[in-house]
Amino acid sequence: MKKVYSALKGITDSKKLSAKRRTQYYLKIKELQQQGLLDFSISHVAASVIDTKGITYAITTAIHRSLNKVNASPEETEVFLDGGLWCNPSYSQETIIKGDQKNWLIGAASVVAKVRRDALMVRKGRGYPEYGFERHKGYGTKYHKAMIRKYGLLDIHRKTWVN
């Protein structure tokens, strides 16, 4: 684990890093994964699930899916989570407020999530060019809200989060 920590020295909350620096860390994380030194998984939950069951349910579902994808054994896995999140109680876990700034593993997860989500939004932007997803990455900017008012909601929008 010391080699992984050294390779990711300085990693922090993805929002505090430039897009270029996030990409550099992401590529290093992928390299460490290919070397078998760490593992991660990305799990998506549909906007409709967030709308019907809530964000906490959706996040918990994604955590469980990711743990299953990497075959994380509860006996051999320690889970670090940001904010007020929790996973299956059979796992040893620690929840850290502002964890993406305080814990390098949570920071690394933050970087992976943001890089992958931003790439997804760029792809969505090609499919729905009028919405400008590649520009605002799906965040509730004035431009994003204006495009929703102009063109309406899509299935990929979280309807409960629209003002």
Side-chain angles (χ1 to χ4, degrees), residues 16-83:
K16 295 187 178 282
L17 299 169
S18 68
K20 179 180 178 181
R21 193 71 178 125
R22 281 193 301 269
T23 299
Q24 290 170 338
Y25 276 124
Y26 176 75
L27 294 174
K28 182 52 109 172
I29 291 166
K30 289 290 292 176
E31 181 181 314
L32 292 165
Q33 183 186 41
Q34 290 167 352
Q35 293 171 8
L37 297 173
L38 66 78
D39 203 359
F40 69 89
S41 171
I42 302 291
S43 295
H44 297 273
V45 177
S48 61
V49 173
I50 297 169
D51 288 338
T52 58
K53 298 204 174 189
I55 192 69
T56 302
Y57 174 86
I59 292 170
T60 302
T61 298
I63 291 169
H64 292 180
R65 285 179 185 169
S66 287
L67 288 168
N68 287 334
K69 285 180 186 178
V70 297
N71 296 314
S73 154
E75 298 80 26
E76 299 174 4
T77 304
E78 185 170 3
V79 178
F80 294 96
L81 298 166
D82 189 22

Side-chain angles (χ1 to χ4, degrees), residues 107-123:
S110 167
V111 167
V112 168
K114 179 132 179 64
V115 168
R116 294 286 294 269
R117 183 180 184 280
D118 286 357
L120 173 67
M121 296 313 296
V122 168
R123 288 191 304 278

Side-chain angles (χ1 to χ4, degrees), residues 134-150:
E134 70 286 348
R135 177 176 169 184
H136 54 70
K137 308 294 190 288
Y139 292 103
T141 64
K142 287 181 184 180
Y143 178 79
H144 186 185
K145 290 176 183 179
M147 295 304 100
I148 291 172
R149 281 192 300 277
K150 184 173 182 178

Side-chain angles (χ1 to χ4, degrees), residues 95-113:
T95 298
I96 303 168
I97 303 298
K98 295 189 179 183
D100 49 5
Q101 297 172 41
K102 297 175 182 177
N103 179 293
W104 67 274
L105 286 169
I106 298 174
S110 167
V111 167
V112 168

